[in-house]
Amino acid sequence: MPRTRKTLSILVAAALTVTACGRSGTAGTPATATTVGTGPATGTVTLWAQGAEAEKLPAILAEFEAANPDVTVTVTPVPWDAAHSKYQTAIAGGTTPDIGQLGTTWMSEFTAAGALAAVPADLGAGPFHPGAVASTRFDGGTYAVPWYVDTPVLYYRTDLAARAGFRQPPATWDDFKNLAKAMQTRAGAEYGVALAPRDFQGFLPFAWSNGATLTTPDARTWTLDSPAMIEAARYYQSFFTEGIADRTPSTDPGAYQAAFTDGSVPMFIGGPFEVAALADLGGPGFAAKYATATLPRARSATSFVGGSHLVVFEKSANAAAAWRLIRFLSLPQTQVAWYKATGDLPSAQAAWDDPALAGDPKLAVFGRQLQDVDSPPSTAEWTRLQDAGNAQMERLTVSGEDPARAMATLQATAAGIGTGAR
């Protein structure tokens, strides 16, 4: 896979000019952030990365090390299912690496713990997708740089949709449900769409698209039992009660992708990595049988923005070289090369102009969807709230609990957890 070669002079010239505020030792205490130095970087940078990222990084990092011959980067692979606890343990024990790859929903927890260094002043928000930037901020400071983004869009079988009488992707909630039903009745699908019955995060795009919010504007109070939230929950539940979605889908790896390729479940909501997975499963010619589309609209068509951020830990032994490396990984040219190697979507907006993304109609949809995204509030309590939400979604979709009651129960639990706002 060809990679873009960058020299040290280009890395320095690519300085970004948006200011970010930081912490002087206590979370919530703004301080003036520093600037990434332009002098030579030296020493060893330790980096923890998860999943395929850890496997693919060495090839990309060879370019950085060639431009910075006095720097050595050591990558430690961390399984995704163990990463959160491993970072917690490292923070508690003072054994963190220089750089970590953090999921976007972990940011507030680790920032509140005082574990993350403030982002330098010249690595700010300007070149990145705004939706990704939101989760890098905490209490007036910025503590991460978006690395890659992930947002769910709709995947649907165009061949089966045509058989069901639909030539365009569903634009509205009514269209979405009508297409799902028609896939069953006219195209022979077992279920019209794959939806997660126990996943509060998977439900959030429906809530946001219906105008619901998770908190009040000041982030001090959860708003999980609002009329808009209940209405969205009732709509989501209807797919399960009407037999359009499976209450007990297989949790085997790749099960829903296999169901999509064999036509038994011809729609699902998924991220960009699905494109490569479907190519492997479907074989030659399968790409012509499906398309991607932005999510169907209620009041809006808002999706969830996730992905991974890069952070430098407060106890980093080589912060100067660490930030130099993060600058390199943030360059649009580097992010295009990274996309080609991994399929991870660039956080840098300029990278989306590259033909590798702009020229692929399936991937271009993700760029459009990123213009309408949201994320959970920046609070250390989010993980506990999400667990409570998962439990209520199961009662809603599997047990058939009344949506108003389910959301009222979740609101009561959330009130006990609090938002962490000060």
Side-chain angles (χ1 to χ4, degrees), residues 11-70:
L11 293 176
V12 173
L16 310 175
T17 58
V18 178
T19 298
C21 291
R23 177 179 18 71
S24 61
T26 303
T29 305
T32 301
T34 59
T35 299
V36 175
T38 57
T42 62
T44 297
V45 175
T46 55
L47 189 161
W48 289 2
Q50 287 83 263
E53 284 72 27
E55 299 172 12
K56 300 291 187 180
L57 264 171
I60 293 291
L61 294 180
E63 302 173 22
F64 174 81
E65 291 177 323
N68 295 268
D70 294 324

Side-chain angles (χ1 to χ4, degrees), residues 157-220:
R157 288 283 299 268
T158 51
D159 56 342
L160 299 182
R163 190 183 305 173
F166 291 77
R167 299 289 179 180
Q168 300 294 328
T172 67
W173 276 12
D174 285 344
D175 293 341
F176 180 54
K177 195 170 195 180
N178 289 338
L179 174 56
K181 287 180 177 179
M183 293 275 212
Q184 289 178 290
T185 59
R186 302 178 196 170
E190 182 178 3
Y191 293 100
V193 63
L195 294 174
R198 302 173 178 85
D199 185 2
F200 185 62
Q201 182 172 304
F203 160 71
L204 286 180
F206 292 88
W208 287 325
S209 294
N210 202 44
T213 61
L214 297 177
T215 68
T216 53
D218 62 6
R220 293 185 177 276

Side-chain angles (χ1 to χ4, degrees), residues 104 107 111 119 125 131-138 141-146 309 378:
T104 57
M107 281 299 304
T111 308
V119 173
V133 171
S135 57
T136 68
R137 294 171 172 161
F138 186 83
T142 301
Y143 298 98
V145 173
H309 296 329
S378 182

